[in-house]
Amino acid sequence: MCAVHQPNLFPRLTTLAKLFAADTWIVLDDVQFTRRDYQHRTSLAALTDRDRTRWLSIPTHLPQGRQTAIRDALIADPASTRRRTESMIRQEYRTSTHWPALQTALEPVWVAFDTGRTAAVAETSTRVLLNLLGWNGRILTASGLPARPERSERLADLTAAVGADTYLCGTGGMTYLDPAPFTTRGIAVAPFLPPAAGVWASARRVTSLWALAHLGPDGIAARLQALTGSPDSLEAAA
C-alpha cells in the first residue's frame, strides 16, 4: 500500500496515521511550494487545551519565486528559526510525562536545520515521528520516479513505480481523484477515513505532537494499529 504526500512540518495526526497505514511513503518533493499549505507552518496545541493553538512558522525564501519546488525552498534564517522552533515546542510540551522520549526523538529535526532547506526539516520531522511509532516502511521521493504530469495519472504512475497495488487516499484527495488511471493499471484506491471522536477530534487541525505528548508514543501507536487493522477497529482507535 502506497501513500503520496508532501513533506509536512510536524504533520497533523490524520497525515501521520495515513502514512503509518502505508508500506511506502512517496515524498512529493517536486511540486510547487505553496505558503498556505503546511510545508512551512504547523499549528501547536497547548498540552492542557488543544483548542488553544498558535502557529509555528519557518520563514522561507523561494529562489525561483512562486514556481519554486518544495525541495528547493530555503529557510531564511536557519539558526534563529531552529532556536525558536525548539523553544516553542519545549514550552508547549515539556510538562508532559512523555517529553523525555519526544525530546530525544526530535534531535534529528534540529540537525536538519543545518541543511538550510525547509523540505529537509519537514520531511525529517515526519520521519522521526513515524520511527517513534515503530513504522518500518520505506520512503522514496517523487522526483526520482517516472510519472506523467496530470494529477491523477501521476499518482497512479508513482504508485505503480514502487510496485504497490493499492493507493491510500485521504479525504481531500477523494474530492478530485479520477479513478480511471488507477483502474487501467490494476491499482485499487483505498479511502483513508479516521474517526472523529476522542484523540481524533483535533486530528485535522493541529500537529500530531499534541497527541504524542498527551498519550505518548505507545498510546498513539496502539490507536494507529487499531485504526489500520480493520474497519471494525475504528471505534477502538478513538
Side-chain angles (χ1 to χ4, degrees), residues 104-141:
T104 300
L106 295 179
E107 286 298 326
V109 181
W110 316 139
V111 174
F113 275 92
D114 295 338
T115 67
R117 296 187 176 274
T118 304
V121 174
E123 181 181 336
T124 301
S125 75
T126 304
R127 186 193 301 265
V128 300
L129 296 185
L130 286 170
N131 289 342
L132 189 62
L133 296 171
W135 185 72
N136 296 312
R138 57 176 175 164
I139 302 174
L140 303 171
T141 55

Side-chain angles (χ1 to χ4, degrees), residues 5-20 36-39 41-45 55 122 125-126 129-130 133 171-172 192 194 199-200 202-212 220 224:
H5 199 80
Q6 297 171 354
N8 293 163
L9 176 64
F10 296 115
R12 294 166 291 180
L13 187 57
T14 48
T15 298
L16 198 65
K18 184 176 74 170
L19 297 178
F20 185 88
R36 68 175 179 270
D37 289 341
Y38 281 76
Q39 286 79 45
R41 66 180 187 177
T42 191
S43 182
L44 291 177
W55 285 115
S125 75
T126 304
L129 296 185
L130 286 170
L133 296 171
T171 54
F192 182 74
V199 71
W200 302 96
S202 59
R204 290 186 174 88
R205 296 187 289 107
V206 302
T207 169
S208 53
L209 286 175
W210 177 85
L212 286 162
I220 296 301
L224 295 186

Side-chain angles (χ1 to χ4, degrees), residues 147-167:
R148 291 167 290 179
E150 292 79 6
R151 182 183 291 182
S152 294
E153 290 181 347
R154 186 174 191 222
L155 293 173
D157 289 349
L158 290 172
T159 303
V162 300
D165 58 7
T166 303
Y167 171 68

Side-chain angles (χ1 to χ4, degrees), residues 13-238:
L13 187 57
T14 48
T15 298
L16 198 65
K18 184 176 74 170
L19 297 178
F20 185 88
D23 302 308
T24 302
W25 170 26
I26 301 178
V27 181
L28 203 57
D29 64 331
D30 54 357
V31 296
Q32 180 180 320
F33 182 96
T34 306
R35 293 189 184 277
R36 68 175 179 270
D37 289 341
Y38 281 76
Q39 286 79 45
H40 73 299
R41 66 180 187 177
T42 191
S43 182
L44 291 177
L47 181 63
T48 57
D49 182 3
R50 59 184 167 186
D51 291 325
R52 180 164 60 84
T53 63
R54 56 175 173 163
W55 285 115
L56 174 61
S57 298
I58 294 183
T60 298
H61 170 62
L62 305 181
Q64 289 81 47
R66 294 179 62 185
Q67 299 306 311
T68 302
I70 288 174
R71 65 171 182 264
D72 298 322
L74 303 176
I75 302 173
D77 189 339
S80 66
T81 301
R82 168 182 171 166
R83 290 192 297 270
R84 182 170 57 83
T85 303
E86 279 191 86
S87 176
M88 289 180 66
I89 291 175
R90 188 183 307 111
Q91 288 173 17
E92 295 295 354
Y93 304 121
R94 65 185 175 186
T95 59
S96 166
T97 57
H98 306 289
W99 174 244
L102 283 175
Q103 186 177 33
T104 300
L106 295 179
E107 286 298 326
V109 181
W110 316 139
V111 174
F113 275 92
D114 295 338
T115 67
R117 296 187 176 274
T118 304
V121 174
E123 181 181 336
T124 301
S125 75
T126 304
R127 186 193 301 265
V128 300
L129 296 185
L130 286 170
N131 289 342
L132 189 62
L133 296 171
W135 185 72
N136 296 312
R138 57 176 175 164
I139 302 174
L140 303 171
T141 55
S143 58
L145 299 170
R148 291 167 290 179
E150 292 79 6
R151 182 183 291 182
S152 294
E153 290 181 347
R154 186 174 191 222
L155 293 173
D157 289 349
L158 290 172
T159 303
V162 300
D165 58 7
T166 303
Y167 171 68
L168 191 59
C169 187
T171 54
M174 292 302 295
T175 62
Y176 65 76
L177 198 73
D178 178 5
F182 295 88
T183 302
T184 299
R185 285 186 168 273
I187 297 172
V189 175
F192 182 74
L193 303 171
V199 71
W200 302 96
S202 59
R204 290 186 174 88
R205 296 187 289 107
V206 302
T207 169
S208 53
L209 286 175
W210 177 85
L212 286 162
H214 189 65
L215 295 175
D218 290 343
I220 296 301
R223 282 163 173 76
L224 295 186
Q225 291 286 0
L227 180 66
T228 59
S230 71
D232 294 335
S233 301
L234 292 182
E235 184 175 349

